[in-house]
Amino acid sequence: MANDLEILELEISSENYDTGHQFLPQEIERHNVDNISYNDFYWEYMENNIPVVLCNVSKHWECRKWIKTPREASNGCHDNPSPIFNTPHDGTGKSINYDYLKEKIGNLMVPTADCNREYFNSHAKSEMLFFDFLNYWQQKREDDGPTDASNRDKSTDLLYLKDWHLKAQRMDYNFYDVPKHFASDWLNEHLVLTESDDYRFVYMGPKDTWTPFHSDVFGSFSWSTNIMGIKKWLLLPPGEELKLSDTLGNLPFSIDEKLLNEHNVRYYTLMQSENESLFVPSGWYHQVWNTTDTISINHNWFNACNLKRIWFNLSQQMQRVVAEIDDCRQMDNFTEHCQTMLRASFGLNYLDFLQLLQTISTRRLGKYNNNNTAADLSANPTPPEYTATTTSSKLIFFEHYIPNDYHIQHDLERILQVVELMLQDSVICDDRIVLYRKCIQLKESLIPSLSSNSKQSLSE
């Protein structure tokens, strides 16, 4: 891995990027992944919270072997070729390499959702063995053939393997590479390092499977790369979803263009093809359909660009929790009860968020005390200390990317800005022993390094 290290070159934002001003495009733009720099993507799309498609992303990923071309299928690449391989549902003649998937992954338990059964505000969830899902999918392809979706039996199961933490289950299996444009991922950086959880997913869905109307967890960014097939997306800029609320403030479970047009909602329709990555910004509600048999890889994440949005969403949810149990305010450990409820409803509480900020800031502050900067890499492209066994403790993202010095400074500055906002929060101010003290400690750890770095920049 040492020979493959790449610097994430981030530069001070220029007037060319119109940062802080959200000028929505007429349609979602597409860029070849090799023709847009990390810096341009960072400021033009992530910072401005604008969706974009990156093309030719996955052409060298190992998981390309999960699918077969018509030539591969007809050449007898399987010991027992099946006619199913000649009846693909993706319109390209490609098909799923079931045998390879079974060989490489094994018979793990996987999460599935039944797209024909609604359960509260989601699809009914269950678990099954991976081989059973593949057998179901293979049989479904054979049974359905080219039947139109409107004529299919809605009483039968329509299973979608989704939110599968395959990378966490099979850490030794390097089936994809995180594109450099998405490498500044604080959420997974923290969770993987602390062995807490992760938000790295595999999705596998037969034709006509779909995901209901929603925005992503925490108000995070997401990226979705199609390995096989075509997805149809309906995406709404932040705030447009409110036009669909009922009298109780509830949003619909499912949407379509007719509903959006009736409510004068601004939206984007996107057809995402194989080998394309869609960047979904924070707070953009969306619904997704697999118009063909589809396999995709997805991450949820946040970083310096949307950190304030994550904090805003977290603090807003905390205020709802406090209001809900306000009549119990005199009970012992009221704040701790609120934190427990917040984690249950939001997936994250104030302490979790502070721990994440501590992890991210500590790793970046540590660069001042070791040879782990982009400048060091430029001077010595393959230093001996950059080995596969040490990358977890070094500031290396996804074993491949190193942020330059300005990137590190920018990250720390954004963390400090959010900590200042947190110190104005009433819940934190009321909890002087734990939350307030942790915020002050984090702030005090950031200021000296940022101050000295600013003086050094001025002198240069």
Side-chain angles (χ1 to χ4, degrees), residues 293-305:
D293 287 354
T294 305
I295 298 175
S296 66
I297 294 173
N298 304 43
H299 278 208
N300 290 104
W301 93 104
F302 54 81
N303 57 28
C305 291

Side-chain angles (χ1 to χ4, degrees), residues 58-240:
S58 62
K59 56 187 176 182
H60 300 303
W61 293 3
E62 196 277 344
C63 58
R64 301 293 305 168
K65 296 177 182 177
W66 295 357
I67 59 177
K68 299 178 72 65
T69 64
R71 176 179 295 180
E72 289 171 328
S74 64
N75 284 343
C77 296
H78 294 263
D79 294 334
N80 298 297
S82 166
I84 295 170
F85 288 101
N86 297 318
T87 58
H89 291 174
D90 69 347
T92 65
K94 296 181 179 179
S95 55
I96 301 148
N97 195 339
Y98 298 104
D99 290 345
Y100 187 82
L101 283 166
K102 290 178 179 180
E103 175 188 346
K104 293 298 291 186
I105 295 174
N107 201 17
L108 304 174
M109 291 297 295
V110 297
T112 61
D114 187 348
C115 297
N116 280 342
R117 289 182 171 81
E118 183 177 344
Y119 183 76
F120 292 100
N121 62 343
S122 185
H123 286 137
K125 303 290 189 359
S126 63
E127 286 191 336
M128 63 193 306
L129 289 169
F130 184 46
F131 289 4
D132 290 341
F133 175 79
L134 291 178
N135 292 338
Y136 157 81
W137 196 357
Q138 192 169 2
Q139 187 63 49
K140 182 172 180 56
R141 288 167 65 97
E142 187 176 49
D143 293 344
D144 287 352
T147 306
D148 183 79
S150 61
N151 296 324
R152 291 186 183 151
D153 185 0
K154 297 296 191 298
S155 66
T156 60
D157 293 344
L158 181 57
L159 300 183
Y160 191 2
L161 194 168
K162 58 186 300 188
D163 297 330
W164 182 18
H165 298 260
L166 175 58
K167 184 61 181 175
Q169 287 182 289
R170 287 291 312 277
M171 292 184 291
D172 59 326
Y173 184 24
N174 296 316
F175 56 94
Y176 72 104
D177 299 305
V178 175
K180 68 179 179 182
H181 305 80
F182 309 140
S184 181
D185 176 347
W186 296 6
L187 181 59
N188 287 300
E189 178 183 348
H190 166 70
L191 293 176
V192 173
L193 189 67
T194 58
E195 300 181 348
S196 306
D197 197 357
D198 76 320
Y199 285 84
R200 303 169 295 174
F201 306 111
V202 170
Y203 284 55
M204 296 183 178
K207 181 180 179 181
D208 302 323
T209 49
W210 58 288
T211 300
F213 187 54
H214 71 286
S215 66
D216 287 318
V217 59
F218 312 135
S220 61
F221 294 147
S222 69
W223 61 263
S224 175
T225 301
N226 273 9
I227 307 305
M228 171 186 176
I230 299 171
K231 290 181 183 286
K232 176 184 176 180
W233 296 73
L234 292 179
L235 299 107
L236 283 61
E240 289 295 306

Side-chain angles (χ1 to χ4, degrees), residues 228-425:
M228 171 186 176
I230 299 171
K231 290 181 183 286
K232 176 184 176 180
W233 296 73
L234 292 179
L235 299 107
L236 283 61
E240 289 295 306
E241 75 281 357
L242 299 177
K243 298 176 182 178
L244 301 173
S245 300
D246 63 17
T247 54
L248 298 177
N250 299 314
L251 294 173
F253 180 70
S254 179
I255 62 170
D256 56 24
E257 289 95 331
K258 181 175 182 293
L259 177 68
L260 298 178
N261 291 331
E262 287 175 350
H263 288 79
N264 196 31
V265 174
R266 180 168 186 175
Y267 67 94
Y268 294 84
T269 302
L270 176 76
M271 302 302 293
Q272 180 193 11
S273 299
E274 179 181 309
N275 205 21
E276 292 185 336
S277 287
L278 172 63
F279 166 64
V280 181
S282 288
W284 283 64
Y285 274 77
H286 50 279
Q287 186 164 323
V288 192
W289 296 262
N290 294 322
T291 65
T292 68
D293 287 354
T294 305
I295 298 175
S296 66
I297 294 173
N298 304 43
H299 278 208
N300 290 104
W301 93 104
F302 54 81
N303 57 28
C305 291
N306 61 342
L307 186 64
K308 284 185 180 178
R309 293 187 179 95
I310 303 301
W311 164 245
F312 176 79
N313 294 336
L314 179 62
S315 61
Q316 286 290 100
Q317 185 62 27
M318 173 58 97
Q319 293 306 317
R320 296 187 189 101
V321 168
V322 171
E324 183 176 340
I325 61 170
D326 189 61
D327 56 343
C328 302
R329 186 176 289 273
Q330 301 306 316
M331 69 186 299
D332 293 338
N333 303 318
F334 177 76
T335 299
E336 288 81 354
H337 285 291
C338 290
Q339 295 290 345
T340 300
M341 291 180 63
L342 180 61
R343 181 184 287 154
S345 62
F346 192 73
L348 196 71
N349 66 21
Y350 280 16
L351 281 173
D352 299 329
F353 188 64
L354 275 167
Q355 288 169 0
L356 183 146
L357 296 183
Q358 185 68 56
T359 298
I360 300 304
S361 61
T362 298
R363 296 192 77 215
R364 282 145 185 78
L365 289 169
K367 76 95 182 177
Y368 295 110
N369 301 318
N370 60 47
N371 295 325
N372 188 36
T373 66
D376 296 322
L377 182 60
S378 299
N380 185 9
T382 55
E385 64 268 24
Y386 289 115
T387 65
T389 58
T390 60
T391 52
S392 62
S393 60
K394 299 289 187 179
L395 189 55
I396 300 176
F397 304 152
F398 299 106
E399 299 185 337
H400 190 69
Y401 306 103
I402 295 182
N404 68 359
D405 291 345
Y406 175 69
H407 203 317
I408 294 172
Q409 177 185 340
H410 172 71
D411 285 355
L412 293 173
E413 288 172 347
R414 289 292 176 89
I415 292 173
L416 181 58
Q417 291 172 10
V418 168
V419 171
E420 295 280 13
L421 292 175
M422 295 177 73
L423 287 168
Q424 301 172 31
D425 182 84

